[in-house]
């Protein structure tokens, strides 16, 4: 599966743009701040109906404009699907596939799988458990659509229960019989999520370990420990025992919304004790394992977006990654690089892949040939 | 917009307060009324005034009514041993149109949703419990409660809460069936609905009768 063509109208810094892509390697070059990452984000948007970088949709609309449109042509085998995301200031986001609007955006997620490796990935190591849950939920949502439905319902029930706890606190009175249905809903939707997350880790870990070893030649043992405070032997009792504290804190303390994935290296916390290099390898292995898993479940290769990662990698890791590229481990690839001559040198020996370069500048992007970049 | 008459402007302002009607549609409606017979407008005005002043909620089931007790509760031919619990009066009309139900109703006035600040005390739940307890009817309470509440998460919560409240009375509590719509196609039915229909499948009846 690959993206043949992309059209943008008022998306971020692009007033009006139309680009045709290579099914193999697309390299976006240009100065910092020229909008290379925004192009990757447009591709990401088409796949997951949201920006990889902004939580507020309206921030994706070009400054002082009222409407933005992203349109893409995805080709798989002989079929071409058009996907269009549009957003008008103050209105509901609209996603259409082959000119037909989705009833629910969640139906779109996973059809055109994508993996993004970007500099802000380090958040997944440094930030709180929410970023890690989001990362793994993002993968699960792309391979298991009932999981996503369950997750959305769980979050809704959680919001209702917390809202109720707050009401109880305001009124100074707890109505246990009213809290019970929400508690049961949390278990009804939460227990399958717990089960699915456990199962997922069994499938994901070997892929992850393989990529980590491959990137580092290292002896160190990496591990991802799935942690939950929901005990599935007697969850009703657990919820019951924590009721008083829930009321006092006005939020639900037990449940899969508090799950975490501990990243470990030789039994120690990666965040506290891992070196910069180990952390980088860990992150890339996380993403490459995500890529493999999506490919296995979908039966075709996801699109891979590499945002500005050449700056972050040392020669050995770089070489390992290029081995994967030249060995056709990936399908369509989008790469950004502020130093055009570096990318041109890296890709020039890949005779079997079609490499296309785009020079990005001030809201435009034009194809350039490799020789021009090497001369500069 | 400039209106040639203050009265038209006033009418437009009032009509456009209705849901789904903007100022342009409101103006079209106002001008339409001006073109028609005067009696037609008076009849409309009178109907609106009567709607406000003469309809009320049935003191028994809270359905809309013209008197203290609604026409369904007052009908001696209705089966008082069954009460069908619904969210709002539109649901009563929808079920009445099926002509399949001959019992009584109870209109809750919504569903429980803490996010929107709707709790049990904002709904007619206490009066339902009273009816079941036999507090409102001389001939004893009902034998069966049918929950006909939308299968949303809030609807499920409300149904669960009601079931707990009504259980101590030892009556039969049922819920309307959920599943594939008649005339619908399986492949277009979402997984959750289809999954539920498989779980709560019914025995196939070859005698052609649909009663137990």
């Amino acid at each position: 599966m690959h993206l043949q063509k992309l059209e943008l109208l008022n998306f971020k810094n692009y007033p009006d743009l139309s680009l045709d892509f290579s099914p193999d390697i697309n390299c976006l070059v240009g100065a910092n701040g020229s909008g290379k990452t925004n192009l990757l984000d447009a591709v990401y948007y088409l796949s997951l109906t949201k920006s990889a970088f902004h939580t507020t949709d309206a921030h994706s609309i070009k400054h002082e404009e009222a409407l933005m449109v992203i349109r893409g042509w995805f080709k798989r085998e002989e079929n071409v699907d058009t996907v269009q995301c549009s957003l008008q200031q103050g209105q509901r986001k609209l996603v259409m596939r082959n000119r037909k609007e989705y009833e629910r955006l969640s139906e779109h997620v996973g059809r055109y799988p994508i993996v993004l490796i970007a500099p802000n990935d380090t958040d997944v190591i440094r930030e709180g458990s929410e970023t890690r849950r989001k990362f793994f939920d993002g993968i699960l949502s792309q391979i298991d659509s009932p999981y996503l439905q369950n997750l959305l319902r769980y979050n809704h029930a959680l919001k209702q229960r917390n809202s109720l706890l707050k009401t109880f606190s305001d009124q100074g009175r707890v109505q246990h019989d009213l809290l019970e249905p929400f508690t049961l809903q949390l278990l009804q939707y939460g227990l399958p999520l717990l089960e699915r997350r456990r199962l997922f880790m069994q499938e994901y870990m070997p892929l992850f370990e393989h990529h980590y070893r491959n990137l580092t030649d290292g002896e160190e043992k990496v591990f991802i420990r799935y942690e939950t405070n929901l005990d599935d032997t007697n969850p009703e009792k657990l919820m019951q025992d924590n009721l008083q504290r829930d009321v006092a804190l006005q939020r639900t303390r037990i449940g899969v919304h508090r799950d975490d994935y501990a990243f470990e290296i030789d039994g120690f916390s990666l965040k506290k004790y891992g070196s910069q290099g180990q952390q980088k390898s860990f992150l890339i292995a996380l993403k490459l394992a995500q890529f493999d898993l999506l490919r296995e479940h979908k039966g075709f290769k996801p699109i891979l977006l590499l945002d500005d990662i050449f700056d972050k990698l040392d020669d050995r890791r770089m070489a390992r990654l290029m081995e994967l590229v030249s060995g056709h481990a990936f399908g369509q690839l989008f790469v950004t690089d502020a130093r055009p001559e570096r990318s041109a040198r890296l890709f020039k020996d890949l005779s079997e892949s079609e490499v296309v370069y785009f020079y990005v500048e001030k809201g435009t992007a034009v194809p350039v040939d490799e020789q021009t970049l090497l001369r500069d | 917009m400039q209106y040639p008459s203050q009265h038209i402007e006033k009418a437009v302002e009032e009509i456009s307060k209705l849901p789904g009607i903007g100022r342009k549609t409101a103006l079209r409606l106002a001008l339409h009324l001006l073109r028609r017979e005067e009696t037609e407008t008076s009849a409309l005005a009178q109907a609106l005034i009567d709607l406000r002043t003469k309809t009320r909620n049935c003191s028994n089931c809270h359905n809309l009514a013209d008197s203290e007790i609604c026409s369904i509760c007052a009908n001696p031919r209705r089966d008082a041993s069954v009460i069908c619990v619904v969210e709002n009066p539109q649901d009563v009309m929808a079920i009445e149109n099926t002509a399949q139900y001959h019992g009584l109703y109870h209109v809750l006035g919504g569903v429980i949703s803490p996010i929107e600040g709707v709790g049990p005390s904002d709904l007619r739940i206490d009066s339902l419990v009273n009816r079941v307890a036999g507090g409102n009817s001389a001939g004893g309470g009902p034998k069966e409660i049918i929950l006909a509440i939308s299968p949303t998460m809030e609807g499920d919560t409300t149904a669960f809460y009601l079931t707990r409240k009504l259980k101590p009375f030892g009556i039969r509590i049922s819920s309307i069936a959920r599943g594939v719509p008649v005339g619908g196609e399986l492949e277009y039915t979402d997984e959750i609905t289809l999954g539920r229909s498989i779980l709560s499948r019914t025995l196939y009846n070859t005698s052609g009768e649909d009663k137990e």
Side-chain angles (χ1 to χ4, degrees), chain B residues 56-65 70 72-73 83-93 95 104-111 120 122-128 131 146 148-149 158 162:
Chain B
R56 50 196 297 184
N57 289 326
C58 170
S59 64
N60 192 38
C61 73
H62 307 285
N63 189 15
L64 293 173
C70 75
I72 296 174
C73 288
I83 296 178
C84 179
V85 180
V86 295
E87 286 172 43
N88 53 49
Q90 292 100 296
D91 298 335
V92 173
M93 291 180 232
I95 294 175
L104 302 181
Y105 290 94
H106 192 88
V107 180
L108 290 176
V111 284
D122 302 302
L123 306 174
R124 282 82 169 237
I125 290 178
D126 285 345
S127 75
L128 175 64
R131 282 178 78 184
I146 302 173
I149 302 172
T158 310
L162 284 176

Side-chain angles (χ1 to χ4, degrees), chain B:
Chain B
M1 200 189 286
Q2 287 288 319
Y3 297 97
S5 142
Q6 280 181 43
H7 304 295
I8 293 178
E9 185 171 354
K10 182 80 184 138
V12 167
E13 195 175 303
E14 292 304 323
I15 297 170
S16 64
K17 284 180 186 168
L18 295 169
I21 296 184
R23 295 191 76 88
K24 273 197 179 152
T25 309
L27 178 62
R28 197 182 306 154
L29 292 173
L31 295 178
H32 171 82
L33 288 174
L34 277 182
R35 277 197 302 273
R36 308 291 294 198
E37 291 292 320
E38 201 180 326
T39 50
E40 219 172 283
T41 313
S42 317
L44 173 65
Q46 192 57 48
L48 291 175
I49 290 167
D50 289 350
L51 171 75
R52 268 324 295 198
T53 55
K54 294 187 179 163
T55 53
R56 50 196 297 184
N57 289 326
C58 170
S59 64
N60 192 38
C61 73
H62 307 285
N63 189 15
L64 293 173
D66 288 342
S67 48
E68 173 79 18
I69 300 288
C70 75
S71 55
I72 296 174
C73 288
N75 185 345
R77 285 194 303 274
R78 304 286 301 210
D79 181 357
S81 71
V82 197
I83 296 178
C84 179
V85 180
V86 295
E87 286 172 43
N88 53 49
Q90 292 100 296
D91 298 335
V92 173
M93 291 180 232
I95 294 175
E96 282 299 285
N97 284 336
T98 67
Q100 299 291 319
Y101 180 68
H102 310 289
L104 302 181
Y105 290 94
H106 192 88
V107 180
L108 290 176
V111 284
I112 297 171
S113 176
I115 297 174
E116 288 154 274
V118 182
S121 56
D122 302 302
L123 306 174
R124 282 82 169 237
I125 290 178
D126 285 345
S127 75
L128 175 64
V129 174
N130 284 340
R131 282 178 78 184
V132 173
N136 272 4
S137 70
K143 294 186 178 63
E144 178 173 356
I145 298 291
I146 302 173
L147 300 176
I149 302 172
S150 306
T152 57
M153 289 185 67
E154 283 71 25
D156 286 347
T157 310
T158 310
F160 183 92
Y161 181 79
L162 284 176
T163 309
R164 279 292 155 96
K165 285 269 169 204
L166 299 175
K167 216 168 191 168
F169 299 101
I171 52 166
R172 189 171 137 120
I173 303 170
S174 61
S175 164
I176 52 166
R178 286 128 188 230
V180 183
V182 175
E185 295 197 36
L186 283 196
E187 61 172 319
Y188 292 120
T189 310
D190 69 285
E191 299 99 13
I192 296 161
T193 306
L194 199 53
R196 276 193 179 187
S197 344
I198 295 281
L199 285 176
S200 53
R201 63 193 179 276
T202 51
L203 281 176
Y204 201 83
N205 196 339
T206 46
S207 67
E209 289 171 18
D210 55 0
K211 267 281 175 206
E212 308 159 53

Side-chain angles (χ1 to χ4, degrees), chain A residues 153 156 160 163 177 180 184, chain B residues 113-115 154 160 164-165:
Chain A
R153 288 198 174 80
H156 187 73
Q160 289 280 26
S163 182
D177 53 349
E180 194 187 1
L184 287 177
Chain B
S113 176
I115 297 174
E154 283 71 25
F160 183 92
R164 279 292 155 96
K165 285 269 169 204

